[in-house]
């Protein structure tokens, strides 16, 4: 990725070209410990809605470092975390006991037929090939078993991001020359603004059930909540998104420096000062026929 905004920004991550999807989905292991520290997990309310009662075996598919996994402990007799990246799975296994952490992916789940009562995926479903994954999830689920897909992150319509975006847009218009890199070779301000926002304006992915797979059409629930974050938290979270991880190092450094400067100089967020950031969760659930 060059000093430009995210490519194909008008489509959800699930519809990125296969080559981009492969690069992005494989990037998180490079920052596994950072991801564990700074990436907020899904809300408990989403899990309550998808799994209102305890089950025998639940699978966290694309478990990453375990943000959803830890919410599943105590809701099932057995929790199985399936994660393809060894580095992400290692962080999960170090921090969570009493669960099975196994290599695998949506299209190839290392469980026997009918072994699970529920399969959940948190901010991971969009990296999977949907039809093969739906068939594979259908294979490991018992009849009547639950499939849940969750996407959560900063709400682009929340006050903080709206304010930040307006500020970035205004700064993109100002200055003597916004189309050329500065003396240090950093991207121009207009491109920095787009890079800081990243995928924030990208359409949200959905759980789509096409014909020929053994699932009911899904139900959808939106959950909103606020998280108090300081500048380190915000900059740290920036470093957990695939569009940022896959930038060239010099571009990442420029984006991070500009983001921190804007937080301090224009939004008053520095040191231990916190700001309430609105988060949004889109939760989907479907049952196997």
């Amino acid at each position: 990725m060059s000093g430009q905004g995210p490519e194909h920004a008008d489509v959800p991550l699930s519809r990125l070209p296969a080559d981009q999807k492969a690069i992005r989905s494989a990037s998180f292991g490079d920052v596994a410990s950072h991801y564990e520290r700074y990436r907020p997990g899904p809300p408990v309310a989403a899990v309550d809605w998808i799994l209102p009662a305890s089950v025998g075996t639940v699978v966290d598919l694309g478990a990453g470092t375990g943000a959803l996994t830890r919410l599943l402990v105590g809701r099932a007799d057995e929790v199985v975390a399936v994660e393809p990246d060894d580095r992400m799975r290692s962080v999960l296994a170090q921090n969570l006991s009493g669960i099975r952490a196994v290599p695998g992916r949506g299209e190839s789940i290392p469980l026997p037929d009918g072994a699970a009562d529920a399969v959940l995926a948190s901010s991971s479903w969009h990296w999977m090939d949907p039809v093969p994954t739906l068939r594979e999830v259908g294979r490991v689920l018992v009849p009547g078993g639950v499939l849940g897909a969750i996407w959560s992150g900063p709400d682009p319509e929340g006050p903080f991001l709206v304010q930040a975006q307006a500020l970035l847009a205004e700064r993109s218009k100002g200055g003597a020359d916004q189309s050329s890199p500065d003396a240090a070779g950093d991207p121009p301000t207009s491109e920095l603004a787009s890079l800081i926002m990243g995928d924030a304006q990208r359409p949200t992915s959905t759980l789509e059930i096409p014909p020929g797979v053994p699932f009911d059409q899904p139900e959808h629930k939106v959950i909103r909540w606020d998280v108090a974050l300081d500048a380190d938290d915000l900059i740290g979270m920036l470093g957990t998104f695939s569009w940022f991880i896959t930038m060239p190092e010099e571009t990442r450094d420029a984006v991070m420096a500009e983001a921190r400067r804007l937080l301090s100089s224009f939004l008053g967020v520095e040191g231990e000062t916190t700001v309430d950031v609105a988060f949004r969760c889109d939760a989907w659930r479907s049952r196997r026929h």
Side-chain angles (χ1 to χ4, degrees):
M1 184 179 292
S2 63
Q4 300 175 351
E7 296 182 74
H8 305 279
D10 58 340
V11 302
L13 289 171
S14 55
R15 295 182 183 172
L16 284 177
D19 58 340
Q20 286 191 39
K21 188 182 288 190
I23 291 170
R24 287 224 201 177
S25 64
S27 69
F28 298 105
D30 294 337
V31 296
S33 295
H34 185 93
Y35 191 101
E36 164 66 11
R37 165 65 180 83
Y38 288 106
R39 186 67 170 264
V44 173
V47 182
D48 290 340
W49 180 70
I50 295 170
L51 282 182
S54 182
V55 297
T57 298
V58 61
V59 176
D60 182 358
L61 190 57
T65 58
L68 171 62
T69 314
R70 59 175 47 92
L71 300 182
L72 298 175
V73 174
R75 296 174 181 267
D77 297 333
E78 181 181 36
V79 178
V80 182
V82 178
E83 168 54 43
D85 191 287
D86 293 342
R87 297 161 295 180
M88 299 286 275
R89 195 174 62 255
S90 176
V91 172
L92 183 154
Q94 289 171 12
N95 293 328
L96 292 172
S97 60
I99 59 100
R100 287 173 57 196
V102 297
R105 58 186 64 248
E107 303 85 349
S108 180
I109 303 173
L111 292 175
D113 295 0
D117 300 286
V119 174
L120 277 66
S122 177
S123 296
S124 60
W125 187 264
H126 50 272
W127 301 127
M128 306 172 199
D129 192 350
V131 173
T133 298
L134 283 165
R135 290 175 178 155
E136 181 69 347
V137 172
R139 181 188 66 79
V140 303
L141 275 177
V142 298
V146 176
L147 166 62
I150 302 169
W151 284 274
S152 56
D155 186 350
E157 298 178 355
F160 177 76
L161 276 192
V162 168
Q163 181 185 11
Q165 187 173 16
L167 171 63
L168 290 167
E170 183 63 29
R171 285 190 52 74
S172 294
K173 298 174 185 175
D177 184 358
Q178 298 298 315
S179 62
S180 300
D182 66 17
D186 291 341
T189 301
S190 58
E191 291 184 2
L192 279 171
S194 178
L195 289 169
I196 290 171
M197 291 305 295
D199 288 329
Q201 297 300 319
R202 186 182 294 276
T204 302
S205 296
T206 60
L207 176 61
E208 298 179 358
I209 306 296
V213 297
F215 288 94
D216 297 333
Q217 287 303 309
E219 301 171 89
H220 178 218
K221 185 177 181 67
V222 175
I223 300 163
R224 290 182 170 89
W225 73 107
D226 291 339
V227 181
L229 300 174
D230 62 22
D232 287 343
D233 294 328
L234 287 162
I235 298 298
M237 183 170 60
L238 187 67
T240 69
F241 295 112
S242 61
W243 57 267
F244 184 88
I245 301 168
T246 53
M247 289 178 188
E249 182 177 2
E250 63 274 14
T251 307
R252 290 200 308 270
D253 291 344
V255 170
M256 191 173 295
E258 179 68 1
R260 188 174 289 277
R261 190 178 73 81
L262 291 171
L263 284 171
S264 174
S265 300
F266 296 93
L267 297 173
V269 183
E270 59 183 340
E272 296 182 357
T273 301
T274 63
V275 60
D276 286 338
V277 178
F279 275 65
R280 170 179 171 138
C281 170
D282 286 82
W284 300 79
R285 68 182 179 190
S286 175
R287 287 197 178 271
R288 187 194 185 283
H289 295 159

